[in-house]
Amino acid sequence: MTDSGRELDLVIYGATGFVGRLLADYLARTAPDGVRIALAGRSQAKLEATRAALGPRAGDWPIVIADADDPVALAELASRTSVVATTVGPYAKYGTELVTACVAAGTDYVDLTGEVLFVRGSIDAHHDKARANGVRIVHSCGYDSIPSDLGVHVLHRKVRADGAGELTDTTLVASLSGGVSGGTIDSLRTQIDVSRGDAALRRLAASPYSFSPDRTKEPDLGRQSDVAMVDGTGIAPQVRGWKAPFVMASYNTRIVRRSNALQGWVYGRKFKYREVMSVGDSRLSRVYAAGVAAILGGLVLGLSVPPTRYVLDRLLPAPGDGPSEKTQRNGYFAMDIYTTTTTGARYASRVAAQGDPGYRATAVLLGESALSLVLDRDRLPDEAGVLTPATALGDVLVERLRGAGVEISARAL
């Protein structure tokens, strides 16, 4: 356990939300006996109903009442537990006070954010104090961005073990099936709102090095296109068809680059990273990829303009909404990462799992991240601060996820 002096090991904050309930259910089924878990949120009645639906293993889990804008209640929550796992977003609206409380209390923290400006603000406000307090603040422990971050992590480990040099041009190709996340859409809305009318914030959000610990020390790699259409043969000889822009590329790439920088550019100072999405390998793949690019561009533009945003807000999934049980069960993701090393060797890694990426699979990813902090603290990397999944949890999380049925592998091509 992380701290036997605390009353609790883990608090699930936002346990009555769609993803919060999935996380609570996962932990109720899989957490080892003796892990002291509590459910937290705003409503006593809703929390009690959630607990009742989880079955007998959760029957004695405590309930903690704390509103996201009540710093006193959040400070008390953080002081009672060793780890907080929060699903309450958009994090720019509802996450700042909780991070502050965890850093002050010496409490480790994991979340699901995919918001560039929130994470940059967290780094600026809390990294140094979290390091001094020995606290791990670990953002993006769901589908955004564990498959990307750990996929590059194991790829680097394999290349280094083989003595094949360092990583250079590296591309993730995402394949997935699942429902559209209302939370992800709301995070996009929030980022648009926060940066509207502020050119400096827009430039920060657009920078490939938004999360860099020191931009002046980053290697000069020229322009890096995080959102792009790519011919598969330009990724690796065995990759066929054109690839479309990936909706989370502009976020995940920044997490991976921060992992590299926090570790002294261990992946390589010539490491260039991008993400794209598979739309099949037929002769029409270029047309499909262009269609995806147009849709993504139109979505961002539509949410930025009041008249079209009014319409989109009524058509797109709302926060807290989620896909059906069948969609969650039948969903999947597979992230294949290809690289060429400084010795000219080619390698690939894969992170794949069954279950809707943004919901059922994310509950596994976040749950095992939290349990890594609760149960395996003495085996984790000796790091503290505002970290990434790879730098905070590393091989421990890889091991836990493999045990939970997630494929994580790397190989020479």
Side-chain angles (χ1 to χ4, degrees):
M1 302 298 176
T2 56
D3 183 354
S4 59
R6 299 282 175 105
E7 172 191 351
L8 299 165
D9 297 310
L10 172 61
V11 170
I12 303 169
Y13 188 63
T16 62
F18 196 94
V19 180
R21 293 194 303 271
L22 291 174
L23 174 62
D25 176 72
Y26 177 75
L27 291 171
R29 290 183 288 106
T30 64
D33 292 339
V35 178
R36 300 164 299 172
I37 300 174
L39 305 176
R42 294 183 299 173
S43 168
Q44 178 85 25
K46 290 182 179 180
L47 288 166
E48 289 177 351
T50 296
R51 181 176 62 183
L54 295 175
R57 291 199 74 208
D60 61 351
W61 286 3
I63 286 173
V64 180
I65 305 301
D67 199 294
D69 59 3
D70 184 345
V72 174
L74 293 174
E76 181 180 355
L77 179 156
S79 70
R80 295 174 61 184
T81 186
S82 296
V83 180
V84 171
T86 175
T87 64
V88 181
Y91 291 88
K93 288 182 179 178
Y94 304 120
T96 302
E97 292 290 351
L98 182 57
V99 175
T100 301
C102 287
V103 172
T107 299
D108 289 340
Y109 164 105
V110 291
D111 70 19
L112 297 174
T113 190
E115 301 166 43
V116 171
L117 296 178
F118 169 73
V119 174
R120 183 68 251 180
S122 176
I123 293 166
D124 293 340
H126 300 298
H127 181 67
D128 290 342
K129 186 173 181 180
R131 285 189 68 188
N133 289 359
V135 177
R136 292 175 173 89
I137 302 298
V138 195
H139 296 303
S140 311
C141 290
Y143 182 60
D144 314 319
S145 301
I146 280 178
S148 306
D149 208 27
L150 291 190
V152 174
H153 171 79
V154 299
L155 185 62
H156 154 70
R157 291 283 210 220
K158 175 63 174 171
V159 169
R160 187 177 67 176
D162 289 355
E166 297 178 334
L167 311 185
T168 62
D169 293 342
T170 305
T171 302
L172 178 149
V173 180
S175 302
L176 65 150
S177 175
V180 178
S181 167
T184 297
I185 296 297
D186 203 35
S187 293
L188 177 59
R189 288 189 191 98
T190 300
Q191 184 148 297
I192 290 170
D193 291 343
V194 170
S195 60
R196 180 180 284 121
D198 191 323
L201 288 179
R202 288 198 298 274
R203 286 194 298 272
L204 178 61
S207 169
Y209 298 103
S210 301
F211 299 159
S212 176
D214 187 343
R215 179 65 182 90
T216 65
K217 294 182 180 178
E218 293 284 355
D220 183 6
L221 299 174
R223 184 172 181 268
Q224 297 204 54
S225 299
D226 293 330
V227 180
M229 285 175 51
V230 178
D231 184 349
T233 57
I235 298 171
Q238 60 269 59
V239 179
R240 298 286 181 263
W242 279 79
K243 308 305 172 188
F246 181 42
V247 65
M248 290 308 300
S250 60
Y251 183 81
N252 294 335
T253 52
R254 287 149 174 77
I255 290 287
V256 172
R257 291 183 191 121
R258 181 167 175 80
S259 292
N260 191 29
L262 285 174
Q263 299 174 93
W265 293 275
V266 68
Y267 301 159
R269 292 190 65 83
K270 296 181 179 179
F271 172 70
K272 295 182 72 172
Y273 181 69
R274 63 186 176 181
E275 295 188 350
V276 293
M277 182 174 70
S278 176
V279 289
D281 57 5
S282 73
R283 288 178 294 176
L284 294 176
S285 62
R286 188 169 189 171
V287 176
Y288 297 151
V292 171
I295 291 169
L296 292 178
L299 177 62
V300 173
L301 179 62
L303 288 173
S304 303
V305 179
T308 51
R309 178 164 176 166
Y310 178 84
V311 176
L312 288 171
D313 282 347
R314 281 147 185 79
L315 297 175
L316 294 168
D321 288 349
S324 67
E325 174 65 26
K326 181 179 179 181
T327 299
Q328 290 183 56
R329 184 175 61 252
N330 293 339
Y332 69 89
F333 72 83
M335 316 289 265
D336 293 294
I337 307 175
Y338 301 88
T339 195
T340 301
T341 75
T342 50
T343 66
R346 291 185 179 273
Y347 281 77
S349 65
R350 165 169 274 221
V351 181
Q354 190 67 28
D356 181 280
Y359 294 94
R360 178 166 291 192
T362 279
V364 177
L365 299 173
L366 182 60
E368 295 299 334
S369 297
L371 290 175
S372 296
L373 292 167
V374 171
L375 298 171
D376 301 305
R377 190 177 181 88
D378 59 340
R379 299 195 298 122
L380 294 174
D382 186 19
E383 298 290 344
V386 179
L387 304 174
T388 61
T391 57
L393 308 173
D395 292 336
V396 169
L397 183 56
V398 170
E399 179 184 316
R400 294 196 69 89
L401 289 174
R402 285 171 174 163
V406 179
E407 178 187 351
I408 305 178
S409 60
R411 69 192 189 281
L413 295 177

